[in-house]
Amino acid sequence: MRISELSVVSGVPVPTVKFYLREGLLAAGDARAVNQAEYGDEHLRRLRLIRALTDVGGLRLREVRAVLAAIDDELMPLHDLLGVAQYALVRGGPNESHPPADDSGGATSDVDRLLAEMGWHVNAAAPSRRSLAQAIFTLRELRWDVSIDDLVRYARAVDDLAAEEVATVPDHGSRSQIVEHMVVGTVIFEAVLTALRRLAQEHHSARRFAKRPRLANDARR
Amino acid sequence: MRISELSVVSGVPVPTVKFYLREGLLAAGDARAVNQAEYGDEHLRRLRLIRALTDVGGLRLREVRAVLAAIDDELMPLHDLLGVAQYALVRGGPNESHPPADDSGGATSDVDRLLAEMGWHVNAAAPSRRSLAQAIFTLRELRWDVSIDDLVRYARAVDDLAAEEVATVPDHGSRSQIVEHMVVGTVIFEAVLTALRRLAQEHHSARRFAKRPRLANDARR
């Protein structure tokens, strides 16, 4: 198909497609004539993946680039794939410029204790260890009491989900399909989980706080 | 304390503190002399909150501004607080410019069915409904089979956590303290949950895929 059709089918505007082509995120089409290239299903698939990462995952361009590089790197051993694909996803969020230098609350050692408690074996360099330690450190800085037991409850809630997510990764298909599955699973189901938690919070919050005014009225009678 | 001390105690560099002052995110200190202002615990607390939202929550400046406005808006009824504080958190991520116009997979009605199934009562305008629908739509566009049952499993995993989070919101203290608690809980525990899910994925992925090479060796003998 031509670039105009690729745009219609993917829902991505032509200027955006051209931008991705210039940035090297999308491979060039097959040249058919001067100023005319042909695009196939691989292009459509890659375009949808880029859109998923940016629109749903909220990833920035350089993060998308890192993830696509991990997908395309044929030399990466399969058992390292998820880790590396994940590591590429760790965004500027947990800010490198403000490391929890004063780890007085022992946030880092709490992460170690939690992992031991859960029986999780995780690379010492996994960026999520650091993200988690920083979140715990920040909570304590804001005078928020957070114990290992609290963390264990959160960890248990995601343990089965993660196990099932990993179990659904196909062990057939091309290497790039497997990595793509992992990355999509990580990014999009993260968005699913975040949205669901917020919907649940709104429901429970309304149940708790919407009652208030009525109770106040009752007391006044 | 002076601005230099505020910077040391909070760990936020003086130029950044000045930037927040200029942008109106942080209230001006009490003027003591020409070019000298005095800052108190409220300033320190607000500064830590801004840092938590940006560094751990990954929020952009305009999102921080919206959240702080929700915290400071004394006119907002208490039972609307969590919703509005949350709504301010919904970032550019689920991109407004690419609405799932072609909702052929019925993602929006799946969200309705899921909410009914969970017994969750949620405002029709809640942005997380839309985020969730877009995530489901995107998964299906990427040929990912996602059923109501799958979604219910994810919803159940966060339901108890959300109920407990709402239960820990204090019902004493100032209005701004209550909202601050809600916002911090939403943003920082979201980072906690995300980090834990990735750690769990890495653990389960290593268990599944790291075995592979050894099995291959065994077969070769």
Side-chain angles (χ1 to χ4, degrees), chain A residues 65-161:
Chain A
R65 198 190 304 281
V67 170
L68 296 179
I71 291 178
D72 294 338
D73 178 1
E74 297 287 341
L75 295 177
M76 203 178 288
L78 192 60
H79 67 275
D80 285 347
L81 277 184
L82 180 63
V84 178
Q86 261 200 25
Y87 295 180
L89 292 177
V90 174
R91 58 174 68 195
N95 201 320
E96 300 293 333
S97 62
H98 292 304
D102 174 18
D103 188 11
S104 51
T108 304
S109 63
D110 277 356
V111 171
D112 292 339
R113 277 177 61 200
L114 172 72
L115 293 175
E117 180 92 20
M118 296 300 296
W120 289 350
H121 296 283
V122 173
N123 197 309
S128 293
R129 281 176 179 263
R130 204 166 166 284
S131 311
L132 181 58
Q134 186 162 16
I136 296 169
F137 179 80
T138 299
L139 284 168
R140 292 187 178 147
E141 217 179 31
L142 293 167
R143 311 265 177 279
W144 194 303
D145 192 30
V146 54
S147 67
I148 293 278
D149 285 350
D150 294 330
L151 296 170
V152 165
R153 257 189 305 117
Y154 279 81
R156 291 231 169 92
V158 291
D159 194 27
D160 287 346
L161 294 179

